[in-house]
C-alpha cells in the first residue's frame, strides 16, 4: 500500500520532492491499486532542461543507431508483455487478452517506425533554380529533415502504452527528445513501458516521464516554453491545449461520434457483427468506436434483432476473466453515461435491454428509435451504450453524420461500391471504412480527425513527418 511508483528523469527513477502521490483507482474493485509521484512544476522545469540538452547529442547520433535502439526497446517491450498487460488490466480494466495485444502491437509499431524512419529521414531533395521563371541554373538547393527539439507526448487512458509509443517512436527516430505525461489511469503501465526504453540503453535525459495531477502540472507542461511539439490524444482538453499552446506543431486526436450508415442492400449479418465489434469492444471506450447507427427504416427491424441477439451473448464482468464488457474507467465516466441513458429514457428511446449498472460496470445497451433531440444522438458516451437512429434516405444519414461537431471516422455498409464511394466522399470525417467498423489500425495507415476530432494526421509516416522540420541549404554558383 505504501509503495509509490517513481517518475523517470535523467535516466533514473526518482521520488518527487512534493512528498505527495496520486492514487490510481482500479475500475473493477474501485479501490486504490497503485500510487504515482505527484511531480512539481520545479521538477517539470528540470526535466525540460534535461530533455533539451540530451536532444542536441541525440540529433547527432547516426540514424541507424537510433533505429537500432528502437528495435531493442520494441523487443524488450514484447518480452515484458505479461507484467505490462497485468497493469493495464488493473488500471484501466482492459480485458486481459486485449491488454496483451496492446503491448505486442506497440512493439510492432516501434519496429515499423524505426524501419520507416531510416527510409524517409535518410532521403532529401535536390532542386535547381532554373525551373522557376527568371532564374539561371546558378542555385542548387539541398533539403533534409531536422528534428524539432523536445516533444511533449500525452497519451489517453484507453491505450496508455500503444498511444504513448505511437508518439515516442516517431519523436525519437526523428532525433527529438521526449517528455511523457501519462494519463492517471494507465500511468503505471506507461512507467513499465518507459522501463523497457531504459533497459534498451537510450542516453540519459532523452526520455523522461513525469506523473502528477493535471491541475498542478497539466497547463504548466503544455504551455512550457521548452516544448517544441505536442502530441496529444484524449478528450476536450485537447481543444483548450491547442488554444493555449505556443507556435509549435500540434498533433491532436480528440473525440469522435463515428457513424455507421447502413443501406438497404447491406449484408445485415456482417453489419451486426461489426456493430458489436465497433460499438462494444473495450466497452465502447475508443475514439473510433461506432457511436451512432444510422439505418434505413426498411431493414432496421431485422438489423436491431440481429444486434440484440449478439448483445445477449456478450460476457459482462471483470477484465481478468476476459469479459467483453468490463467496468468503465472511472465512476464519473459511469455517471456521465448514465446521464445520457436517463435523458434518452425521458425522451422516449426504445430500450432493447434493461439498463443495468453495478459500480463502474454498465451492461451493454442498445437504444432504438433515438431522435435528434436526445443527447445520445450527438454526445459520445465512451461506454457500452449505442444509439440507433432510423433514417428514410441516405441523405438523412449523411446529414446527421455531418451535423456533428466531430469528424473522426465513419463507416458505410452496402454491396454497391459506387454508392459507398459517393457516401464516403460526402461524409466529413478523417476516414470512412467501407463494410467494416471504424478503426485506427493497421498503425501505418494515416489517421486523422476533422473538426473537433483533431488536427494533424497520425499513422507512422505522418507522425514522423510532423515531428521534423525541413531544412534547406542553397549553394550559390558564380
Ligand atoms: O481511442 C483511441 C483511438 O486511437 C482508437 O484506436 O485502434 O481502437 O481504433 P483503435
Amino acid at each position: 500500500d505504501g509503495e509509490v511508483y517513481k517518475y523517470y528523469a535523467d535516466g533514473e527513477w526518482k521520488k518527487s520532492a512534493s512528498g505527495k502521490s496520486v492514487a490510481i483507482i482500479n475500475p473493477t474493485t474501485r479501490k486504490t491499486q497503485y500510487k504515482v509521484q505527484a511531480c512539481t512544476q520545479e521538477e517539470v522545469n528540470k526535466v525540460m532542461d534535461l530533455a533539451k540538452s540530451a536532444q542536441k547529442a541525440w540529433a547527432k547520433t547516426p540514424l541507424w543507431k537510433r533505429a537500432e535502439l528502437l528495435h531493442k526497446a520494441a523487443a524488450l517491450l514484447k518480452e515484458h508483455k505479461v507484467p505490462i498487460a497485468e497493469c493495464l488490466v488493473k488500471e484501466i480494466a482492459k480485458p486481459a487478452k486485449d491488454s496483451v495485444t496492446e503491448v505486442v502491437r506497440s512493439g510492432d509499431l516501434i519496429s515499423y517506425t524505426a524501419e520507416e524512419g531510416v527510409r524517409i529521414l535518410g532521403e532529401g531533395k535536390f532542386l535547381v533554380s532554373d525551373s522557376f521563371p527568371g532564374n539561371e541554373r546558378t542555385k542548387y538547393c539541398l533539403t533534409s529533415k531536422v528534428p524539432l527539439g523536445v516533444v511533449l507526448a500525452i497519451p489517453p487512458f484507453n491505450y496508455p502504452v500503444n498511444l504513448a509509443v505511437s508518439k515516442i517512436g516517431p519523436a525519437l527516430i526523428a532525433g527529438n527528445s521526449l517528455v511523457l505525461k501519462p494519463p492517471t489511469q494507465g500511468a503505471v503501465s506507461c512507467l513499465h513501458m518507459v522501463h523497457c526504453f531504459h533497459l534498451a540503453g537510450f542516453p540519459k535525459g532523452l526520455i523522461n516521464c513525469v506523473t502528477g495531477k493535471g491541475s498542478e502540472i497539466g497547463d504548466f507542461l503544455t504551455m512550457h516554453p521548452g516544448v517544441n511539439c505536442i502530441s496529444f490524444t484524449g478528450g476536450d482538453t485537447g481543444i483548450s491545449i491547442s488554444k493555449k499552446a505556443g507556435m509549435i506543431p500540434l498533433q491532436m486526436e480528440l473525440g469522435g461520434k463515428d457513424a455507421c450508415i447502413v443501406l438497404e442492400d447491406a449484408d445485415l449479418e456482417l453489419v451486426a457483427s461489426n456493430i458489436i465489434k465497433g460499438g462494444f469492444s473495450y466497452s465502447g471506450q475508443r475514439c473510433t468506436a461506432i457511436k451512432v447507427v444510422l439505418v434505413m427504416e426498411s431493414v432496421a427491424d431485422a438489423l436491431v434483432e440481429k444486434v440484440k441477439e449478439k448483445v445477449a451473448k456478450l460476457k459482462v464482468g471483470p477484465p481478468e476473466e476476459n469479459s467483453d464488457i468490463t467496468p468503465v474507467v472511472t465512476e464519473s465516466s459511469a455517471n456521465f453515461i448514465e446521464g445520457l441513458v436517463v435523458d434518452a429514457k425521458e425522451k422516449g428511446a426504445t430500450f432493447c435491454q434493461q439498463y443495468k449498472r453495478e459500480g463502474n460496470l454498465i451492461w451493454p445497451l442498445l437504444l432504438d428509435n433515438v431522435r435528434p433531440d436526445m443527447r445520445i444522438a450527438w454526445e459520445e458516451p465512451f461506454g457500452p451504450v449505442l444509439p440507433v437512429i432510423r433514417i428514410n434516405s441516405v441523405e438523412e444519414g449523411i446529414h446527421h453524420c455531418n451535423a456533428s461537431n466531430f469528424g473522426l471516422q465513419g463507416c458505410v455498409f452496402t454491396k454497391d461500391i459506387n454508392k459507398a464511394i459517393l457516401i464516403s466522399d460526402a461524409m466529413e470525417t478523417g476516414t470512412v471504412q467501407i463494410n467494416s467498423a471504424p478503426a485506427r489500425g493497421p498503425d501505418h495507415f494515416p489517421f486523422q480527425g476533422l473538426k473537433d476530432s483533431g488536427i494533424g494526421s497520425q499513422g507512422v509516416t505522418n507522425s514522423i513527418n510532423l515531428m521534423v522540420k525541413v531544412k534547406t541549404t542553397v549553394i550559390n554558383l558564380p
Side-chain angles (χ1 to χ4, degrees), residues 25-28 33-34 82-100 189 282 318-322 326-327:
I25 312 292
N26 181 324
T28 312
Q33 183 75 39
Y34 305 117
V82 173
I84 300 176
E86 269 168 25
C87 291
L88 290 170
V89 168
K90 301 291 178 207
E91 287 187 288
I92 62 164
K94 182 169 278 193
K97 242 172 60 199
D98 296 349
S99 294
V100 174
S189 311
Y282 188 36
E320 287 84 354
E321 290 170 21
N322 269 320
T326 55

PDB file of all heavy atoms in Angstrom, residues 25-28 33-34 82-100 189 282 318-322 326-327:
ATOM      1  N   ILE A  25      -7.135   4.399  -9.097  1.00  0.00           N
ATOM      2  CA  ILE A  25      -8.222   3.542  -8.616  1.00  0.00           C
ATOM      3  C   ILE A  25      -8.485   2.429  -9.629  1.00  0.00           C
ATOM      4  O   ILE A  25      -8.690   2.715 -10.811  1.00  0.00           O
ATOM      5  CB  ILE A  25      -9.535   4.374  -8.427  1.00  0.00           C
ATOM      6  CG1 ILE A  25      -9.274   5.675  -7.655  1.00  0.00           C
ATOM      7  CG2 ILE A  25     -10.646   3.532  -7.792  1.00  0.00           C
ATOM      8  CD1 ILE A  25      -8.898   5.516  -6.211  1.00  0.00           C
ATOM      9  N   ASN A  26      -8.491   1.202  -9.185  1.00  0.00           N
ATOM     10  CA  ASN A  26      -8.843   0.071 -10.044  1.00  0.00           C
ATOM     11  C   ASN A  26     -10.344   0.187 -10.377  1.00  0.00           C
ATOM     12  O   ASN A  26     -11.185   0.219  -9.472  1.00  0.00           O
ATOM     13  CB  ASN A  26      -8.551  -1.223  -9.273  1.00  0.00           C
ATOM     14  CG  ASN A  26      -8.866  -2.470 -10.077  1.00  0.00           C
ATOM     15  OD1 ASN A  26      -9.821  -2.503 -10.848  1.00  0.00           O
ATOM     16  ND2 ASN A  26      -8.055  -3.506  -9.893  1.00  0.00           N
ATOM     17  N   PRO A  27     -10.690   0.281 -11.669  1.00  0.00           N
ATOM     18  CA  PRO A  27     -12.107   0.484 -12.030  1.00  0.00           C
ATOM     19  C   PRO A  27     -13.012  -0.655 -11.583  1.00  0.00           C
ATOM     20  O   PRO A  27     -14.218  -0.453 -11.397  1.00  0.00           O
ATOM     21  CB  PRO A  27     -12.078   0.564 -13.559  1.00  0.00           C
ATOM     22  CG  PRO A  27     -10.665   0.842 -13.933  1.00  0.00           C
ATOM     23  CD  PRO A  27      -9.819   0.230 -12.855  1.00  0.00           C
ATOM     24  N   THR A  28     -12.431  -1.848 -11.422  1.00  0.00           N
ATOM     25  CA  THR A  28     -13.247  -3.017 -11.052  1.00  0.00           C
ATOM     26  C   THR A  28     -13.504  -3.059  -9.550  1.00  0.00           C
ATOM     27  O   THR A  28     -14.643  -3.200  -9.113  1.00  0.00           O
ATOM     28  CB  THR A  28     -12.542  -4.312 -11.506  1.00  0.00           C
ATOM     29  OG1 THR A  28     -12.132  -4.151 -12.870  1.00  0.00           O
ATOM     30  CG2 THR A  28     -13.455  -5.509 -11.378  1.00  0.00           C
ATOM     31  N   GLN A  33      -5.259   1.011  -6.442  1.00  0.00           N
ATOM     32  CA  GLN A  33      -4.436  -0.105  -6.920  1.00  0.00           C
ATOM     33  C   GLN A  33      -2.957   0.252  -6.849  1.00  0.00           C
ATOM     34  O   GLN A  33      -2.138  -0.529  -6.404  1.00  0.00           O
ATOM     35  CB  GLN A  33      -4.817  -0.432  -8.379  1.00  0.00           C
ATOM     36  CG  GLN A  33      -4.076  -1.617  -8.975  1.00  0.00           C
ATOM     37  CD  GLN A  33      -4.591  -2.951  -8.435  1.00  0.00           C
ATOM     38  OE1 GLN A  33      -5.788  -3.127  -8.246  1.00  0.00           O
ATOM     39  NE2 GLN A  33      -3.687  -3.882  -8.171  1.00  0.00           N
ATOM     40  N   TYR A  34      -2.627   1.461  -7.315  1.00  0.00           N
ATOM     41  CA  TYR A  34      -1.239   1.925  -7.348  1.00  0.00           C
ATOM     42  C   TYR A  34      -1.214   3.384  -6.938  1.00  0.00           C
ATOM     43  O   TYR A  34      -2.250   4.062  -6.924  1.00  0.00           O
ATOM     44  CB  TYR A  34      -0.677   1.847  -8.770  1.00  0.00           C
ATOM     45  CG  TYR A  34      -0.751   0.512  -9.457  1.00  0.00           C
ATOM     46  CD1 TYR A  34      -1.508   0.364 -10.621  1.00  0.00           C
ATOM     47  CD2 TYR A  34      -0.037  -0.591  -8.991  1.00  0.00           C
ATOM     48  CE1 TYR A  34      -1.560  -0.846 -11.299  1.00  0.00           C
ATOM     49  CE2 TYR A  34      -0.088  -1.805  -9.663  1.00  0.00           C
ATOM     50  CZ  TYR A  34      -0.856  -1.925 -10.816  1.00  0.00           C
ATOM     51  OH  TYR A  34      -0.911  -3.120 -11.482  1.00  0.00           O
ATOM     52  N   VAL A  82       3.649  -9.557 -20.463  1.00  0.00           N
ATOM     53  CA  VAL A  82       2.755 -10.080 -19.420  1.00  0.00           C
ATOM     54  C   VAL A  82       2.609  -9.109 -18.233  1.00  0.00           C
ATOM     55  O   VAL A  82       1.488  -8.720 -17.893  1.00  0.00           O
ATOM     56  CB  VAL A  82       3.174 -11.498 -18.982  1.00  0.00           C
ATOM     57  CG1 VAL A  82       2.360 -11.974 -17.791  1.00  0.00           C
ATOM     58  CG2 VAL A  82       3.023 -12.463 -20.162  1.00  0.00           C
ATOM     59  N   PRO A  83       3.734  -8.688 -17.599  1.00  0.00           N
ATOM     60  CA  PRO A  83       3.549  -7.752 -16.477  1.00  0.00           C
ATOM     61  C   PRO A  83       2.911  -6.427 -16.887  1.00  0.00           C
ATOM     62  O   PRO A  83       2.136  -5.846 -16.120  1.00  0.00           O
ATOM     63  CB  PRO A  83       4.972  -7.537 -15.938  1.00  0.00           C
ATOM     64  CG  PRO A  83       5.895  -8.041 -16.997  1.00  0.00           C
ATOM     65  CD  PRO A  83       5.145  -9.090 -17.753  1.00  0.00           C
ATOM     66  N   ILE A  84       3.228  -5.947 -18.094  1.00  0.00           N
ATOM     67  CA  ILE A  84       2.639  -4.665 -18.520  1.00  0.00           C
ATOM     68  C   ILE A  84       1.133  -4.840 -18.741  1.00  0.00           C
ATOM     69  O   ILE A  84       0.331  -4.007 -18.316  1.00  0.00           O
ATOM     70  CB  ILE A  84       3.341  -4.118 -19.782  1.00  0.00           C
ATOM     71  CG1 ILE A  84       4.831  -3.886 -19.488  1.00  0.00           C
ATOM     72  CG2 ILE A  84       2.679  -2.822 -20.251  1.00  0.00           C
ATOM     73  CD1 ILE A  84       5.658  -3.443 -20.676  1.00  0.00           C
ATOM     74  N   ALA A  85       0.773  -5.949 -19.379  1.00  0.00           N
ATOM     75  CA  ALA A  85      -0.646  -6.206 -19.610  1.00  0.00           C
ATOM     76  C   ALA A  85      -1.407  -6.326 -18.284  1.00  0.00           C
ATOM     77  O   ALA A  85      -2.553  -5.878 -18.165  1.00  0.00           O
ATOM     78  CB  ALA A  85      -0.824  -7.467 -20.448  1.00  0.00           C
ATOM     79  N   GLU A  86      -0.743  -6.906 -17.286  1.00  0.00           N
ATOM     80  CA  GLU A  86      -1.400  -7.026 -15.972  1.00  0.00           C
ATOM     81  C   GLU A  86      -1.734  -5.656 -15.402  1.00  0.00           C
ATOM     82  O   GLU A  86      -2.793  -5.462 -14.792  1.00  0.00           O
ATOM     83  CB  GLU A  86      -0.484  -7.784 -15.005  1.00  0.00           C
ATOM     84  CG  GLU A  86      -0.742  -9.287 -15.036  1.00  0.00           C
ATOM     85  CD  GLU A  86       0.334 -10.092 -14.321  1.00  0.00           C
ATOM     86  OE1 GLU A  86       1.014  -9.530 -13.418  1.00  0.00           O
ATOM     87  OE2 GLU A  86       0.508 -11.260 -14.698  1.00  0.00           O
ATOM     88  N   CYS A  87      -0.828  -4.702 -15.606  1.00  0.00           N
ATOM     89  CA  CYS A  87      -1.096  -3.329 -15.137  1.00  0.00           C
ATOM     90  C   CYS A  87      -2.288  -2.742 -15.877  1.00  0.00           C
ATOM     91  O   CYS A  87      -3.124  -2.061 -15.283  1.00  0.00           O
ATOM     92  CB  CYS A  87       0.111  -2.425 -15.374  1.00  0.00           C
ATOM     93  SG  CYS A  87       1.495  -2.830 -14.337  1.00  0.00           S
ATOM     94  N   LEU A  88      -2.343  -2.990 -17.188  1.00  0.00           N
ATOM     95  CA  LEU A  88      -3.475  -2.459 -17.964  1.00  0.00           C
ATOM     96  C   LEU A  88      -4.793  -3.001 -17.422  1.00  0.00           C
ATOM     97  O   LEU A  88      -5.782  -2.279 -17.304  1.00  0.00           O
ATOM     98  CB  LEU A  88      -3.317  -2.812 -19.447  1.00  0.00           C
ATOM     99  CG  LEU A  88      -2.192  -2.082 -20.196  1.00  0.00           C
ATOM    100  CD1 LEU A  88      -1.975  -2.683 -21.580  1.00  0.00           C
ATOM    101  CD2 LEU A  88      -2.504  -0.592 -20.331  1.00  0.00           C
ATOM    102  N   VAL A  89      -4.786  -4.276 -17.089  1.00  0.00           N
ATOM    103  CA  VAL A  89      -5.995  -4.903 -16.543  1.00  0.00           C
ATOM    104  C   VAL A  89      -6.409  -4.206 -15.238  1.00  0.00           C
ATOM    105  O   VAL A  89      -7.582  -3.887 -15.029  1.00  0.00           O
ATOM    106  CB  VAL A  89      -5.755  -6.418 -16.307  1.00  0.00           C
ATOM    107  CG1 VAL A  89      -6.869  -7.038 -15.485  1.00  0.00           C
ATOM    108  CG2 VAL A  89      -5.598  -7.143 -17.646  1.00  0.00           C
ATOM    109  N   LYS A  90      -5.427  -3.939 -14.386  1.00  0.00           N
ATOM    110  CA  LYS A  90      -5.742  -3.365 -13.064  1.00  0.00           C
ATOM    111  C   LYS A  90      -6.057  -1.869 -13.126  1.00  0.00           C
ATOM    112  O   LYS A  90      -6.847  -1.359 -12.338  1.00  0.00           O
ATOM    113  CB  LYS A  90      -4.559  -3.556 -12.099  1.00  0.00           C
ATOM    114  CG  LYS A  90      -4.159  -4.998 -11.866  1.00  0.00           C
ATOM    115  CD  LYS A  90      -5.210  -5.772 -11.088  1.00  0.00           C
ATOM    116  CE  LYS A  90      -4.811  -7.222 -10.902  1.00  0.00           C
ATOM    117  NZ  LYS A  90      -5.953  -8.120 -10.755  1.00  0.00           N
ATOM    118  N   GLU A  91      -5.382  -1.155 -14.047  1.00  0.00           N
ATOM    119  CA  GLU A  91      -5.543   0.304 -14.069  1.00  0.00           C
ATOM    120  C   GLU A  91      -6.722   0.787 -14.901  1.00  0.00           C
ATOM    121  O   GLU A  91      -7.328   1.802 -14.607  1.00  0.00           O
ATOM    122  CB  GLU A  91      -4.299   0.964 -14.677  1.00  0.00           C
ATOM    123  CG  GLU A  91      -3.090   0.958 -13.808  1.00  0.00           C
ATOM    124  CD  GLU A  91      -1.985   1.774 -14.449  1.00  0.00           C
ATOM    125  OE1 GLU A  91      -1.384   1.336 -15.444  1.00  0.00           O
ATOM    126  OE2 GLU A  91      -1.732   2.875 -13.949  1.00  0.00           O
ATOM    127  N   ILE A  92      -6.935   0.104 -16.035  1.00  0.00           N
ATOM    128  CA  ILE A  92      -7.968   0.613 -16.944  1.00  0.00           C
ATOM    129  C   ILE A  92      -9.029  -0.443 -17.266  1.00  0.00           C
ATOM    130  O   ILE A  92      -9.882  -0.221 -18.118  1.00  0.00           O
ATOM    131  CB  ILE A  92      -7.348   1.186 -18.246  1.00  0.00           C
ATOM    132  CG1 ILE A  92      -6.596   0.102 -19.038  1.00  0.00           C
ATOM    133  CG2 ILE A  92      -6.406   2.352 -17.935  1.00  0.00           C
ATOM    134  CD1 ILE A  92      -6.298   0.499 -20.482  1.00  0.00           C
ATOM    135  N   ALA A  93      -8.942  -1.592 -16.592  1.00  0.00           N
ATOM    136  CA  ALA A  93      -9.925  -2.671 -16.766  1.00  0.00           C
ATOM    137  C   ALA A  93     -10.068  -3.105 -18.218  1.00  0.00           C
ATOM    138  O   ALA A  93     -11.161  -3.418 -18.688  1.00  0.00           O
ATOM    139  CB  ALA A  93     -11.288  -2.274 -16.177  1.00  0.00           C
ATOM    140  N   LYS A  94      -8.937  -3.112 -18.924  1.00  0.00           N
ATOM    141  CA  LYS A  94      -8.976  -3.634 -20.302  1.00  0.00           C
ATOM    142  C   LYS A  94      -8.944  -5.159 -20.207  1.00  0.00           C
ATOM    143  O   LYS A  94      -8.152  -5.709 -19.437  1.00  0.00           O
ATOM    144  CB  LYS A  94      -7.779  -3.106 -21.089  1.00  0.00           C
ATOM    145  CG  LYS A  94      -7.760  -3.548 -22.545  1.00  0.00           C
ATOM    146  CD  LYS A  94      -6.722  -2.804 -23.375  1.00  0.00           C
ATOM    147  CE  LYS A  94      -7.228  -1.457 -23.823  1.00  0.00           C
ATOM    148  NZ  LYS A  94      -6.407  -0.840 -24.871  1.00  0.00           N
ATOM    149  N   PRO A  95      -9.785  -5.860 -20.967  1.00  0.00           N
ATOM    150  CA  PRO A  95      -9.776  -7.317 -20.906  1.00  0.00           C
ATOM    151  C   PRO A  95      -8.352  -7.873 -21.083  1.00  0.00           C
ATOM    152  O   PRO A  95      -7.576  -7.343 -21.885  1.00  0.00           O
ATOM    153  CB  PRO A  95     -10.672  -7.724 -22.074  1.00  0.00           C
ATOM    154  CG  PRO A  95     -11.580  -6.559 -22.269  1.00  0.00           C
ATOM    155  CD  PRO A  95     -10.792  -5.342 -21.899  1.00  0.00           C
ATOM    156  N   ALA A  96      -8.033  -8.933 -20.328  1.00  0.00           N
ATOM    157  CA  ALA A  96      -6.661  -9.458 -20.283  1.00  0.00           C
ATOM    158  C   ALA A  96      -6.061  -9.704 -21.664  1.00  0.00           C
ATOM    159  O   ALA A  96      -4.931  -9.302 -21.939  1.00  0.00           O
ATOM    160  CB  ALA A  96      -6.647 -10.733 -19.450  1.00  0.00           C
ATOM    161  N   LYS A  97      -6.834 -10.350 -22.545  1.00  0.00           N
ATOM    162  CA  LYS A  97      -6.298 -10.693 -23.871  1.00  0.00           C
ATOM    163  C   LYS A  97      -5.993  -9.424 -24.677  1.00  0.00           C
ATOM    164  O   LYS A  97      -4.946  -9.319 -25.311  1.00  0.00           O
ATOM    165  CB  LYS A  97      -7.310 -11.558 -24.634  1.00  0.00           C
ATOM    166  CG  LYS A  97      -6.750 -12.924 -24.952  1.00  0.00           C
ATOM    167  CD  LYS A  97      -7.760 -13.891 -25.544  1.00  0.00           C
ATOM    168  CE  LYS A  97      -8.377 -13.420 -26.848  1.00  0.00           C
ATOM    169  NZ  LYS A  97      -9.630 -14.139 -27.142  1.00  0.00           N
ATOM    170  N   ASP A  98      -6.902  -8.470 -24.636  1.00  0.00           N
ATOM    171  CA  ASP A  98      -6.696  -7.208 -25.365  1.00  0.00           C
ATOM    172  C   ASP A  98      -5.514  -6.434 -24.799  1.00  0.00           C
ATOM    173  O   ASP A  98      -4.847  -5.684 -25.516  1.00  0.00           O
ATOM    174  CB  ASP A  98      -7.944  -6.319 -25.278  1.00  0.00           C
ATOM    175  CG  ASP A  98      -9.149  -6.956 -25.951  1.00  0.00           C
ATOM    176  OD1 ASP A  98      -8.967  -7.978 -26.649  1.00  0.00           O
ATOM    177  OD2 ASP A  98     -10.269  -6.441 -25.778  1.00  0.00           O
ATOM    178  N   SER A  99      -5.271  -6.592 -23.496  1.00  0.00           N
ATOM    179  CA  SER A  99      -4.146  -5.891 -22.875  1.00  0.00           C
ATOM    180  C   SER A  99      -2.827  -6.411 -23.437  1.00  0.00           C
ATOM    181  O   SER A  99      -1.914  -5.641 -23.734  1.00  0.00           O
ATOM    182  CB  SER A  99      -4.178  -6.066 -21.356  1.00  0.00           C
ATOM    183  OG  SER A  99      -5.317  -5.424 -20.822  1.00  0.00           O
ATOM    184  N   VAL A 100      -2.745  -7.732 -23.603  1.00  0.00           N
ATOM    185  CA  VAL A 100      -1.530  -8.318 -24.188  1.00  0.00           C
ATOM    186  C   VAL A 100      -1.383  -7.837 -25.638  1.00  0.00           C
ATOM    187  O   VAL A 100      -0.304  -7.423 -26.063  1.00  0.00           O
ATOM    188  CB  VAL A 100      -1.573  -9.865 -24.119  1.00  0.00           C
ATOM    189  CG1 VAL A 100      -0.377 -10.473 -24.848  1.00  0.00           C
ATOM    190  CG2 VAL A 100      -1.612 -10.335 -22.669  1.00  0.00           C
ATOM    191  N   SER A 189       1.313   1.436 -16.202  1.00  0.00           N
ATOM    192  CA  SER A 189       1.609   0.721 -17.451  1.00  0.00           C
ATOM    193  C   SER A 189       2.627   1.521 -18.254  1.00  0.00           C
ATOM    194  O   SER A 189       3.575   0.967 -18.812  1.00  0.00           O
ATOM    195  CB  SER A 189       0.339   0.552 -18.289  1.00  0.00           C
ATOM    196  OG  SER A 189      -0.709   0.059 -17.516  1.00  0.00           O
ATOM    197  N   TYR A 282     -13.820  -3.059 -25.829  1.00  0.00           N
ATOM    198  CA  TYR A 282     -13.352  -2.271 -24.681  1.00  0.00           C
ATOM    199  C   TYR A 282     -14.488  -1.373 -24.156  1.00  0.00           C
ATOM    200  O   TYR A 282     -14.316  -0.217 -23.820  1.00  0.00           O
ATOM    201  CB  TYR A 282     -12.084  -1.469 -25.019  1.00  0.00           C
ATOM    202  CG  TYR A 282     -11.455  -0.803 -23.808  1.00  0.00           C
ATOM    203  CD1 TYR A 282     -11.456  -1.426 -22.560  1.00  0.00           C
ATOM    204  CD2 TYR A 282     -10.885   0.465 -23.908  1.00  0.00           C
ATOM    205  CE1 TYR A 282     -10.913  -0.813 -21.448  1.00  0.00           C
ATOM    206  CE2 TYR A 282     -10.336   1.098 -22.799  1.00  0.00           C
ATOM    207  CZ  TYR A 282     -10.358   0.435 -21.569  1.00  0.00           C
ATOM    208  OH  TYR A 282      -9.825   1.060 -20.464  1.00  0.00           O
ATOM    209  N   PRO A 318     -15.473  -8.927 -14.897  1.00  0.00           N
ATOM    210  CA  PRO A 318     -14.144  -8.348 -14.674  1.00  0.00           C
ATOM    211  C   PRO A 318     -13.185  -8.598 -15.842  1.00  0.00           C
ATOM    212  O   PRO A 318     -13.327  -9.592 -16.557  1.00  0.00           O
ATOM    213  CB  PRO A 318     -13.655  -9.067 -13.405  1.00  0.00           C
ATOM    214  CG  PRO A 318     -14.436 -10.324 -13.339  1.00  0.00           C
ATOM    215  CD  PRO A 318     -15.738 -10.086 -14.039  1.00  0.00           C
ATOM    216  N   PRO A 319     -12.216  -7.715 -16.022  1.00  0.00           N
ATOM    217  CA  PRO A 319     -11.265  -7.839 -17.141  1.00  0.00           C
ATOM    218  C   PRO A 319     -10.366  -9.056 -17.019  1.00  0.00           C
ATOM    219  O   PRO A 319      -9.929  -9.612 -18.018  1.00  0.00           O
ATOM    220  CB  PRO A 319     -10.436  -6.557 -17.048  1.00  0.00           C
ATOM    221  CG  PRO A 319     -10.577  -6.081 -15.642  1.00  0.00           C
ATOM    222  CD  PRO A 319     -11.939  -6.516 -15.203  1.00  0.00           C
ATOM    223  N   GLU A 320     -10.106  -9.486 -15.779  1.00  0.00           N
ATOM    224  CA  GLU A 320      -9.245 -10.654 -15.558  1.00  0.00           C
ATOM    225  C   GLU A 320      -9.831 -11.886 -16.222  1.00  0.00           C
ATOM    226  O   GLU A 320      -9.111 -12.793 -16.619  1.00  0.00           O
ATOM    227  CB  GLU A 320      -9.094 -10.942 -14.044  1.00  0.00           C
ATOM    228  CG  GLU A 320      -8.217  -9.957 -13.283  1.00  0.00           C
ATOM    229  CD  GLU A 320      -8.966  -8.702 -12.841  1.00  0.00           C
ATOM    230  OE1 GLU A 320     -10.157  -8.543 -13.221  1.00  0.00           O
ATOM    231  OE2 GLU A 320      -8.366  -7.877 -12.123  1.00  0.00           O
ATOM    232  N   GLU A 321     -11.173 -11.933 -16.330  1.00  0.00           N
ATOM    233  CA  GLU A 321     -11.838 -13.104 -16.910  1.00  0.00           C
ATOM    234  C   GLU A 321     -12.100 -12.952 -18.400  1.00  0.00           C
ATOM    235  O   GLU A 321     -12.909 -13.675 -18.978  1.00  0.00           O
ATOM    236  CB  GLU A 321     -13.156 -13.354 -16.170  1.00  0.00           C
ATOM    237  CG  GLU A 321     -12.929 -13.854 -14.763  1.00  0.00           C
ATOM    238  CD  GLU A 321     -14.208 -13.871 -13.934  1.00  0.00           C
ATOM    239  OE1 GLU A 321     -15.317 -13.878 -14.519  1.00  0.00           O
ATOM    240  OE2 GLU A 321     -14.097 -13.863 -12.687  1.00  0.00           O
ATOM    241  N   ASN A 322     -11.412 -11.962 -18.997  1.00  0.00           N
ATOM    242  CA  ASN A 322     -11.588 -11.717 -20.425  1.00  0.00           C
ATOM    243  C   ASN A 322     -13.035 -11.438 -20.812  1.00  0.00           C
ATOM    244  O   ASN A 322     -13.486 -11.857 -21.884  1.00  0.00           O
ATOM    245  CB  ASN A 322     -11.068 -12.904 -21.241  1.00  0.00           C
ATOM    246  CG  ASN A 322      -9.618 -12.698 -21.591  1.00  0.00           C
ATOM    247  OD1 ASN A 322      -9.217 -11.570 -21.924  1.00  0.00           O
ATOM    248  ND2 ASN A 322      -8.837 -13.747 -21.502  1.00  0.00           N
ATOM    249  N   THR A 326     -16.412  -4.686 -19.586  1.00  0.00           N
ATOM    250  CA  THR A 326     -15.752  -4.566 -18.285  1.00  0.00           C
ATOM    251  C   THR A 326     -16.120  -3.205 -17.677  1.00  0.00           C
ATOM    252  O   THR A 326     -16.686  -2.359 -18.373  1.00  0.00           O
ATOM    253  CB  THR A 326     -14.225  -4.675 -18.474  1.00  0.00           C
ATOM    254  OG1 THR A 326     -13.819  -3.687 -19.439  1.00  0.00           O
ATOM    255  CG2 THR A 326     -13.814  -6.055 -18.972  1.00  0.00           C
ATOM    256  N   PRO A 327     -15.797  -2.974 -16.407  1.00  0.00           N
ATOM    257  CA  PRO A 327     -16.166  -1.694 -15.794  1.00  0.00           C
ATOM    258  C   PRO A 327     -15.537  -0.516 -16.548  1.00  0.00           C
ATOM    259  O   PRO A 327     -14.386  -0.620 -16.979  1.00  0.00           O
ATOM    260  CB  PRO A 327     -15.578  -1.806 -14.386  1.00  0.00           C
ATOM    261  CG  PRO A 327     -15.496  -3.277 -14.124  1.00  0.00           C
ATOM    262  CD  PRO A 327     -15.183  -3.904 -15.439  1.00  0.00           C
TER     263      PRO A 327
END
